[in-house]
Amino acid sequence: MTIKNYPLRPVITYRCSNCTSKGPHEQQVLEWGIYEWLRQHPDEASNVWDNLRMKDAGYYRSFLVGNMALYRTSFVIISMFRLKL
Ligand SMILES: [Zn+2]
């Protein structure tokens, strides 16, 4: 399976600190662990964000963002980092 075969498309909407963008960023996440969770737990898909502590207070989060050679103006989240404060 590749990312294109998955029935769900994980997307994160966020604003970064000191953001100069007019609206929030809305980007697909390529982090392989999310797709592996969805493959192994198809009935618990919504838990993926809890597992990653994406909604928990007390965590600093950052994303490694990049784009594709063919779509240089459209960005995706390649990897996610979190640090307990
Ligand atoms: Zn921003």
Side-chain angles (χ1 to χ4, degrees):
M1 278 180 92
T2 70
I3 281 175
K4 290 176 182 161
N5 300 122
Y6 280 80
L8 296 173
R9 181 174 170 267
V11 171
I12 293 180
T13 302
Y14 68 95
R15 287 203 70 100
C16 39
S17 55
N18 303 319
C19 193
T20 56
S21 173
K22 282 183 185 168
H25 302 288
E26 185 176 315
Q27 297 163 343
Q28 183 175 3
V29 186
L30 302 185
E31 174 91 33
W32 77 268
I34 293 178
Y35 296 88
E36 187 63 3
W37 169 267
L38 295 174
R39 187 182 68 80
Q40 292 181 1
H41 307 88
D43 298 329
E44 301 171 63
S46 62
N47 289 350
V48 77
W49 306 118
D50 293 336
N51 296 347
L52 293 167
R53 309 265 185 241
M54 292 304 292
K55 298 173 184 172
D56 291 13
Y59 281 84
Y60 170 79
R61 285 171 276 271
S62 62
F63 304 133
L64 174 65
V65 174
N67 60 7
M68 310 292 190
L70 294 176
Y71 306 99
R72 290 177 188 249
T73 56
S74 118
F75 290 84
V76 292
I77 297 173
I78 298 166
S79 196
M80 305 153 65
F81 305 94
R82 66 191 170 278
L83 184 69
K84 193 164 177 38
L85 299 174

